Amino acid sequence: MFSLFREYENRHIGTLVLGCLMMGSMGIFANHIVQTHPANIVFLRFFFCTLSFPLIALIAYPLFPRTTRDKVMETISFAKDHTGLWVVVGISMALVVALYTLGAVLLSVGLSVILLYTAAIWFPLMEKLACRYLFRDLRPTQFSRAYYLSVSLNLLGLLTIIVGTTQLPSFGSLSSVLGLISAVTASMAFSFSMVLVRVIKTKGIKTEQMIITSSFIGSLIMLPALFLLPIELSSGNLYNAFGMGFIATALGGLIYFKGFGSVRTTLAPVIAYLEPIFGFSLAILILAEQFTPTLLLGMAIILATNIGYTLLDLWRSRHLLADLDQ
């Protein structure tokens, strides 16, 4: 029994890591979009993500006709049978992307990354509040001290990276204050979306639906920016917007949430810290951004923490299942 569980767990840990890598590439595409307001960059990400799903279905159908039909019917059933939850999931994930982008513009990209990934710390509190006031049939997860220690070390690694690569902004201006509020709110929305992963799983809904709902609702939320704020629809911008929507968001999101929904609640939020690491690494390799020993130290802290916590979690699960088998 344990060998089958371990094989299943390891496979989906790899799926989540691949999703982190693909979603981490978003900044590469966004960096090449010029003369366009950040709000419209968010809109382009949602819009091209929405267009990508029919394209993915057309590509997949000749190879996997039954699976493709099932996925399409799952999407339709989710929107029809759980309309309220469909809207909540879509708005939550759309707010994560929109508020994170706003925080990056008004505050700084580095600090926004740090604040976004404090979601792993917010998660236990957010889950308890959600279980008490919204989803009373959902029981809160029991987190160990090792979880909180790993989250703290991951934040230390992120802070080490940012201190070595960016300058911290002054908080004397209104824009910085608004950026700080946006970044913190994005973190809370991200932690709430982690709770929603559990909720939709209990209803038999595939967690990949989260990226589908957010793309549709996010496109509607950000649509006014297309007419109110500057946007440059050049061939280069559209090419990068398609890459941002198709590779980094649609494919990356489907893979990310499939892995996130299949890995245990105590493990998935910690592995998700690999996404900003991949983002920094791709920026160094593709955008030729300079790196420092401080950046490498921060990456080493995060990688060591994630590997250590993952091995500890798997070791505990092995002994737990071994006790149950006896």
Side-chain angles (χ1 to χ4, degrees), residues 10 13 264 267 271 303-319:
N10 291 341
I13 287 175
R264 281 159 291 165
L267 183 60
I271 297 179
L303 290 174
T305 300
N306 280 285
I307 292 173
Y309 182 82
T310 302
L311 293 176
L312 175 63
D313 200 63
L314 292 175
W315 179 81
R316 286 178 172 175
S317 297
R318 181 184 64 186
H319 284 273

Side-chain angles (χ1 to χ4, degrees), residues 7 167 170 178 206:
E7 181 181 352
Q167 294 182 346
S170 171
L178 292 176
K206 300 296 179 59

Side-chain angles (χ1 to χ4, degrees), residues 67-96:
T67 302
T68 303
R69 285 196 301 268
D70 290 343
K71 292 294 183 182
V72 172
M73 294 308 299
E74 286 172 6
T75 301
I76 296 173
S77 297
F78 184 23
K80 182 190 301 183
D81 301 335
H82 305 278
T83 305
L85 182 59
W86 187 87
V87 172
V88 170
V89 169
I91 292 177
S92 176
M93 284 302 302
L95 285 176
V96 172

Side-chain angles (χ1 to χ4, degrees), residues 112-132:
S112 293
V113 169
I114 289 179
L115 293 172
L116 180 65
Y117 280 88
T118 59
I121 290 180
W122 291 107
F123 179 75
L125 173 61
M126 196 66 65
E127 187 186 51
K128 288 179 181 178
L129 292 174
C131 291
R132 181 172 182 179

